[in-house]
Amino acid sequence: MPSENLTIEDQENYDILVQNLVGDLPSIPPLVDQMIKVASDDGTASSLLSDIISKDQSIFSKILKIANSFEYRQGRMSRVTEIHEAVMTIGAEKVRQALLNASVLDAFQSNQIESKFKLDGLWLHSCGVALATQFLCEHFGCKYAGEAYACGLLHDLGKVLKIKFLHKKFLREVKFTSKNNCTFWFAEKALGNVRHDLLGSMIIKKWAISPVVEKVAQWHHTFSKTSRINVDDPNVHKIIDITILANHMIKELRLGNSGSGSMEELPAPFLRRLRLGEEEYQTSREAVRMTIDAQAENLAVLLNG
């Protein structure tokens, strides 16, 4: 267990921290990486998803609840009881999203009886960023659209680990953001504390999840492409940009709680790079809001069991 007095100054200290955390890390099942690789338009996706779901009774129950929700019943009297029928009813891509959400949800559960910061709020924020990242990837055209949902869902994983293992320090950082009306990332740097972006990316690498997801977690607060070390693929830069944009929109829409007291302003060069004017920004954000609203019931099912 790392010390609450730990501060970070260099890469070596991060390596030591990750090694200290290994035995206490919340387990993310191999299902995550498997789900990232399941293409939503793959002809074998439905049967593969059905097979995965049938092996986990908890997920099986949640998928059936979603399939029998108001959104999908559409006046049908009979209830869906078979998993293959549930997958066909919901659609392979939305089932894939639900499985990713369910796979990481345990990591967002807290054993602490009292906390001023609820992990459920961070999970909802992350789900919102996941939905927004996927929508925006499809809208802007991105090579890594298949990994977009996981990029959004895991972008703040470092915060989860800090809440669990550096809880008092995390709460001080949240208080700092509120008092100084700044972002959580700024608070970490100002206080010389562990940065959630670097910590999250290192854990994702440790878990052998997609290198694209790792790079997004590491650089999702870095607007300048030239400052993103070891990112040479323009398509990776693009999905980092899109996740930054999605994160900003979800904060504006006030879905969940990321822990920040304010939002980073999107720089003009960043918006020009995405060819995003004010009118298109507002239109895209409204489309993201509608996407979130359409998935609200499904997220509630997963969160409440």
Side-chain angles (χ1 to χ4, degrees):
M1 182 75 65
S3 168
E4 281 285 356
N5 296 319
L6 180 65
T7 59
I8 289 294
E9 296 177 353
D10 54 37
Q11 182 68 40
E12 182 180 356
N13 283 341
Y14 275 94
D15 291 335
I16 293 171
L17 174 59
V18 171
Q19 289 302 319
N20 288 342
L21 284 176
V22 167
D24 296 310
L25 287 175
S27 67
I28 297 282
L31 182 63
V32 170
D33 199 48
Q34 191 175 359
M35 284 300 95
I36 292 172
K37 296 172 183 175
V38 174
S40 59
D41 59 349
D42 188 342
T44 64
S46 294
S47 58
L48 177 59
L49 291 169
S50 297
D51 182 59
I52 292 170
I53 295 166
S54 65
K55 295 176 182 177
D56 190 309
Q57 187 59 43
S58 174
I59 293 177
F60 179 53
S61 173
K62 290 174 180 176
I63 294 297
L64 285 183
K65 283 184 180 180
I66 292 172
N68 286 297
S69 65
F70 178 79
E71 178 183 355
Y72 296 105
R73 288 291 290 274
Q74 298 179 345
R76 190 178 61 244
M77 296 299 295
S78 60
R79 295 182 62 82
V80 175
T81 58
E82 299 293 333
I83 200 59
H84 182 69
E85 184 184 0
V87 173
M88 297 303 292
T89 298
I90 300 170
E93 177 56 28
K94 289 185 179 178
V95 170
R96 187 175 79 107
Q97 293 174 9
L99 285 172
L100 280 168
N101 290 341
S103 297
V104 304
L105 180 57
D106 283 348
F108 284 78
Q109 303 297 315
S110 176
N111 294 324
Q112 297 181 14
I113 297 175
E114 294 184 8
S115 175
K116 295 180 181 179
F117 189 92
K118 302 298 183 184
L119 274 163
D120 287 355
L122 182 58
W123 183 78
L124 284 173
H125 166 78
S126 298
C127 287
V129 176
L131 286 165
T133 302
Q134 183 173 63
F135 171 83
L136 293 168
C137 271
E138 293 169 356
H139 177 72
F140 287 107
C142 181
K143 176 182 177 181
Y144 295 113
E147 297 175 70
Y149 197 89
C151 286
L153 191 63
L154 294 173
H155 79 285
D156 267 349
L157 180 65
K159 290 181 182 176
V160 179
L161 302 176
K162 291 182 68 171
I163 292 169
K164 285 178 173 287
F165 303 112
L166 299 169
H167 188 67
K168 292 180 181 178
K169 187 174 290 292
F170 178 87
L171 291 180
R172 285 197 293 271
E173 291 161 351
V174 171
K175 184 177 180 180
F176 184 96
T177 69
S178 178
K179 181 179 179 180
N180 295 281
N181 193 33
C182 65
T183 68
F184 187 84
W185 189 62
F186 179 87
E188 290 174 322
K189 293 193 297 178
L191 295 170
N193 292 344
V194 178
R195 279 175 46 188
H196 73 280
D197 50 356
L198 298 182
L199 178 60
S201 69
M202 292 181 73
I203 296 301
I204 289 169
K205 183 176 182 179
K206 192 76 176 178
W207 279 332
I209 296 175
S210 161
V212 175
V213 179
E214 174 197 336
K215 294 300 183 187
V216 169
Q218 183 173 1
W219 302 115
H220 73 275
H221 286 289
T222 304
F223 295 109
S224 171
K225 288 164 58 172
T226 58
S227 298
R228 299 169 186 167
I229 301 169
N230 295 326
V231 180
D232 301 316
D233 184 348
N235 292 297
V236 174
H237 279 298
K238 188 169 187 177
I239 196 168
I240 294 171
D241 285 350
I242 289 172
T243 306
I244 291 173
L245 178 62
N247 193 26
H248 187 85
M249 288 181 172
I250 293 304
K251 288 178 181 178
E252 282 191 333
L253 293 170
R254 300 183 183 279
L255 179 67
N257 183 6
S258 69
S260 285
S262 69
M263 295 184 296
E264 296 167 294
E265 184 176 348
L266 298 176
F270 173 84
L271 293 170
R272 284 197 297 270
R273 191 160 72 225
L274 288 172
R275 297 183 176 88
L276 197 63
E278 178 62 25
E279 183 176 349
E280 185 175 1
Y281 176 87
Q282 296 298 335
T283 301
S284 298
R285 190 184 68 176
E286 177 61 16
V288 165
R289 185 193 65 76
M290 293 173 66
T291 300
I292 299 296
D293 287 348
Q295 291 296 311
E297 186 177 359
N298 295 349
L299 295 177
V301 168
L302 292 171
L303 187 58
N304 299 320

